[in-house]
Amino acid sequence: MISPRLGSIVHRVAAAAALVALSACGTSGSGGAGNAGQVTFWHYYAQGIPATAKFTKDLGDTYAKAALPKPLNSVYVPAEQLTQKVVASAATKQGPDVFVQGGADLLQLIKAGAIADFTAQFDAFKDKSQIPDANVIKQDGKVYGVQGFNNTTALWYNKTILDELGIAPPTTMDELDAALAKIGTKYVGIGLAGQGDQDVNAFSFISAYGFDYAKPDAAALENAFKLVGGWAEKGYVPRDAATWTPDVAFQKFTAGGMAFAVGGNWQYGNAKKTASFTYGVVPVPDATAPAKVYQFGDNVHMSAFTKDKKAAFDAIATMFLSKDGELAALEAGSMPVRKDLADTKGMQDPIYDQFNKALKNGVPYLLPGFGTELTQMRKPVAEAWSAVLAGQSTPRDAATTAVAAVQRVAK
């Protein structure tokens, strides 16, 4: 229910139990496709966050309600380990039947022969027409995965703090900069995630100043880094934000005392459960160009070595493509993709409305025109972003180094 890792990109709690059994599960364990008596499901939905724990349970309840022949064995695998473990398990044929991943490693998984083509099963799915083409993961015309919900990022704000100081939610970077100056150090100004090897938090800011991976420009990157680096120097964003994951940044926001935070719609469920203040959301403000956001959702795949493709697809369809499964995701904060749920009551929420507005500038996480080199291109940009937040590099040096690295990969 996360972003691409959003990591990583994104929300995992280190103290979470390594194995999590859903209510419908059989015996938890590494299990795998070698055990034909069950369907093994690997996920990274760590249970230390209330809404995430509930979502995991709801997935199990959805599976149990369907009364499918085989029990579900659900296994928690940390996000940063999942792809590596799936690829390794392909050699032993002892791993999951079904698993989720954030999308960044799709091409690697296909190249490794770790995921199955389930075109025939999807084509026979009775509700196929309800799933938009954009949420069907294809390569060379073959279906290798599906997305059961949409996720993106936007700018969350603490309305209680903004009202106290007479600040309106910003619509431009200049307005956000002015708002942070007015807040000063009375409160933490903004929560940004600087840790990791992906650019999920940085992307909206660098794109707002015109940075494009297809035509990487150091001046555009430097302008974005000057802005956030200036905020760090003035104390509007803590220096240790360089070590924060998106989950950590958002947890600090919901704890109170922070005016803004970049976060995803999937964190809405956690905000409702933990925030004691009034909050709102606006799209990340534009600067010299529109602030783009990644559009993503967990990719659900079938392992290439599953012993029972029908049982594996039934699990995918039940947990991620059924109305019950997608409504469980909606309650946790993710936006369903089924066409017949577009007007469901939950989607009328003003928070979701703002995320839908953000998606007007959405681009696929796997940017068109790039292959496996994209991950290598994002890494130096993410590292430069982190170095600027930490005060370890000047905006100019960070931008120059990052663009040079991107250009080397592109060659």
Side-chain angles (χ1 to χ4, degrees):
M1 50 168 298
I2 351 251
S3 67
R5 34 188 137 245
L6 254 194
S8 45
I9 212 160
V10 210
H11 355 298
R12 324 291 183 223
V13 179
L19 301 177
V20 180
L22 298 186
S23 60
C25 289
T27 303
S28 289
S30 60
N35 187 342
Q38 62 185 11
V39 175
T40 297
F41 169 48
W42 283 8
H43 65 87
Y44 43 44
Y45 303 141
Q47 303 301 281
I49 304 173
T52 310
K54 185 178 185 304
F55 172 66
T56 311
K57 180 182 182 301
D58 287 346
L59 285 182
D61 290 345
T62 299
Y63 188 92
K65 180 180 176 182
L68 295 169
K70 295 183 177 182
L72 185 72
N73 177 34
S74 176
V75 180
Y76 167 77
V77 179
E80 63 274 13
Q81 299 176 19
L82 197 144
T83 295
Q84 180 182 0
K85 284 181 174 290
V86 169
V87 171
S89 70
T92 63
K93 296 181 170 44
Q94 291 293 321
D97 295 283
V98 174
F99 65 95
V100 296
Q101 62 96 20
D105 300 322
L106 173 65
L107 297 176
Q108 178 185 348
L109 290 164
I110 293 175
K111 185 177 180 180
I115 57 178
D117 160 19
F118 57 88
T119 306
Q121 287 75 22
F122 183 74
D123 284 346
F125 178 46
K126 65 182 179 61
D127 287 349
K128 174 185 174 182
S129 63
Q130 296 296 336
I131 311 302
D133 289 343
N135 296 95
V136 181
I137 312 303
K138 294 183 178 181
Q139 186 73 10
D140 298 326
K142 299 177 181 179
V143 177
Y144 284 100
V146 291
Q147 292 178 336
F149 38 83
N150 286 326
N151 287 321
T152 193
T153 53
L155 184 69
W156 290 77
Y157 61 88
N158 183 321
K159 188 174 185 298
T160 304
I161 291 177
L162 266 57
D163 287 352
E164 174 194 331
L165 299 176
I167 298 172
T171 59
T172 67
M173 284 294 182
D174 285 344
E175 289 178 2
L176 177 56
D177 189 45
L180 291 172
K182 190 169 186 178
I183 294 163
T185 55
K186 182 175 183 179
Y187 299 103
V188 177
I190 185 168
L192 299 172
Q195 191 262 357
D197 59 0
Q198 296 294 302
D199 64 348
V200 176
N201 238 202
F203 183 66
S204 292
F205 290 87
I206 63 178
S207 63
Y209 284 91
F211 183 79
D212 183 344
Y213 280 102
K215 298 178 181 178
D217 176 54
L221 203 57
E222 181 181 352
N223 286 335
F225 287 169
K226 281 181 179 177
L227 181 74
V228 297
W231 292 345
E233 286 180 7
K234 296 168 186 173
Y236 304 160
V237 55
R239 286 294 193 189
D240 64 349
T243 68
W244 294 356
T245 65
D247 266 350
V248 170
F250 199 76
Q251 287 167 12
K252 290 180 180 294
F253 172 73
T254 55
M258 181 182 289
F260 299 99
V262 175
N265 53 277
W266 62 88
Q267 289 157 322
Y268 187 22
N270 297 318
K272 288 189 284 188
K273 286 183 177 292
T274 59
S276 60
F277 53 87
T278 304
Y279 50 79
V281 174
V282 291
V284 176
D286 300 336
T288 58
K292 296 179 181 178
V293 293
Y294 287 128
Q295 180 176 350
F296 40 63
D298 286 343
N299 289 0
V300 190
H301 301 291
M302 181 190 299
S303 291
F305 45 85
T306 181
K307 300 294 186 182
D308 190 339
K309 291 184 77 170
K310 181 182 184 305
F313 183 77
D314 285 347
I316 291 172
T318 299
M319 292 191 291
F320 293 92
L321 301 180
S322 70
K323 284 187 177 181
D324 286 348
E326 292 202 10
L327 288 174
L330 176 61
E331 186 174 347
S334 291
M335 297 179 285
V337 304
R338 285 183 64 110
K339 296 173 185 177
D340 54 3
L341 291 179
D343 295 324
T344 193
K345 183 179 179 181
M347 286 298 289
Q348 309 310 310
D349 189 305
I351 296 292
Y352 290 123
D353 181 60
Q354 291 299 313
F355 278 104
N356 278 321
K357 288 181 179 177
L359 281 172
K360 291 180 180 178
N361 289 323
V363 297
Y365 188 64
L366 288 175
L367 294 170
F370 294 94
T372 54
E373 76 275 9
L374 184 57
T375 298
Q376 297 171 279
M377 296 169 77
R378 284 174 166 145
K379 185 173 182 179
V381 172
E383 291 174 341
W385 166 266
S386 180
V388 169
L389 285 173
Q392 296 172 344
S393 179
T394 66
R396 174 166 293 183
D397 288 346
T400 300
T401 300
V403 167
V406 170
Q407 290 173 334
R408 282 196 299 271
V409 173
K411 292 178 180 179

